[in-house]
């Protein structure tokens, strides 16, 4: 039985991904802040939780992140940017996945196919940005895309059959997006999970270091 690790397993998408993996016959290890006390923004917490795992994991999925953190809302204009909001976005949406990715080399198999996928967002695409706004969130997602690219290069030196990618899940109907669902077509977390796992199943080392949407189409950096 293949083994998957889901970081952020108690969130809307993370929970759905875990359930769909189990339905497909995978064994799933899930970690989250609410269920396990994992704080991805704290290096000591990440090390304490991930160092207990043995693996190997043929899938490592980082499904953490937030659009609104505390009282901070997405900025509509540059004048709304605050250092506190931007720091919070980078801590959760960029530094958090980076701290997890630092442990993946030990947890992945070296001699078989594997996928490391971090949930990103199309709004983190610099090339696709046509309307501006949401500056801190966009910047944090652009940053995590760069981290994923660098992680893929590093992993390719030791894990020749692994793919390390960023994935855009689309607009998903969860607490994460409930205030914004009227602006874009949304899908259920369950449907998003199925689409994302189908994309992961299609990936090989040739796709490592790339950014894909829920349909498997490349997203510009």
């Amino acid at each position: 039985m293949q083994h998957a690790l889901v970081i952020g397993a108690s969130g809307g998408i993370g929970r759905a991904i875990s359930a769909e993996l189990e339905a497909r016959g995978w064994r799933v290890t899930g970690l989250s802040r609410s269920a396990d006390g994992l704080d991805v923004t704290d290096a000591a917490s990440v090390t304490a939780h991930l160092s207990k795992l043995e693996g190997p994991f043929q899938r490592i999925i980082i499904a953490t992140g937030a659009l609104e953190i505390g009282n901070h809302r997405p900025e509509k204009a540059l004048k709304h940017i605050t250092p506190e909001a931007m720091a919070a976005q980078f801590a959760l949406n960029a530094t958090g996945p980076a701290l997890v990715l630092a442990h993946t080399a030990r947890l992945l198999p070296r001699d078989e196919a594997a996928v490391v996928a971090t949930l990103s967002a199309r709004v983190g695409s610099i090339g696709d940005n046509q309307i501006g706004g949401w500056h801190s969130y966009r910047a944090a997602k652009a940053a995590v895309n760069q981290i994923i690219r660098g992680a893929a290069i590093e992993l390719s030196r030791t894990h020749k059959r692994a793919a390390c990618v960023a994935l855009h899940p689309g607009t998903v109907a969860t607490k994460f997006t409930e205030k914004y669902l009227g602006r874009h077509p949304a899908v259920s977390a369950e449907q998003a999970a199925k689409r994302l796992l189908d994309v992961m199943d299609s990936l090989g080392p040739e796709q490592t270091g790339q950014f894909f949407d829920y349909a498997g189409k490349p997203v510009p950096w």
Side-chain angles (χ1 to χ4, degrees):
M1 181 180 291
Q2 292 186 303
H3 196 180
L5 172 63
V6 180
I7 306 296
S10 66
I13 299 178
R15 185 184 302 111
I17 287 174
S18 298
E20 181 63 22
L21 280 165
E22 290 176 344
R24 297 184 182 197
W26 285 69
R27 182 161 60 100
V28 178
T29 295
L31 290 174
S32 69
R33 185 181 189 121
S34 61
D36 308 286
L38 170 63
D39 181 358
V40 296
T41 70
D42 182 85
S45 178
V46 173
T47 297
H49 284 84
L50 270 62
S51 64
K52 297 175 184 178
L53 304 177
E54 295 186 7
F57 298 96
Q58 289 78 23
R59 294 282 187 278
I60 298 178
I61 302 164
I62 305 172
T64 55
L67 176 58
E68 295 186 356
I69 302 175
N71 294 322
H72 304 299
R73 303 292 180 264
E75 309 97 342
K76 294 182 179 180
L78 290 167
K79 64 183 179 182
H80 298 141
I81 291 174
T82 67
E84 296 79 13
M86 185 165 281
Q89 282 291 335
F90 270 75
L92 181 59
N93 289 313
T95 305
L99 293 174
V100 174
L101 286 165
H103 293 265
T104 53
R106 184 183 68 82
L107 297 172
L108 290 169
R110 291 200 176 212
D111 57 352
E112 57 184 300
V115 175
V116 181
T118 300
L119 298 192
S120 184
R122 189 181 296 276
V123 295
S125 166
I126 295 171
D128 190 63
N129 184 358
Q130 303 297 323
I131 61 174
W134 290 22
H135 300 290
S136 295
Y137 182 70
R138 284 184 186 274
K141 287 299 188 180
V144 81
N145 289 345
Q146 180 70 285
I147 291 163
I148 293 161
R149 179 74 171 183
I153 293 169
E154 188 169 326
L155 281 170
S156 69
R157 297 170 184 151
T158 54
H159 296 71
K160 304 296 187 184
R161 299 184 63 188
C164 179
V165 298
L167 294 180
H168 166 59
T171 302
V172 184
T174 67
K175 288 183 178 180
F176 183 92
T177 59
E178 60 186 358
K179 293 182 181 179
Y180 307 93
L181 292 180
R183 304 178 188 181
H184 305 282
V187 299
S188 68
E190 292 73 21
Q191 184 178 353
K194 290 177 182 178
R195 298 193 305 189
L196 290 169
L197 291 174
D198 287 345
V199 173
M200 291 179 218
D201 287 345
S202 72
L203 299 175
E206 299 82 6
Q207 288 80 40
T208 197
Q210 298 184 45
F211 186 11
F212 299 98
D213 70 8
Y214 53 84
K217 297 180 180 179
V219 180
W221 294 117

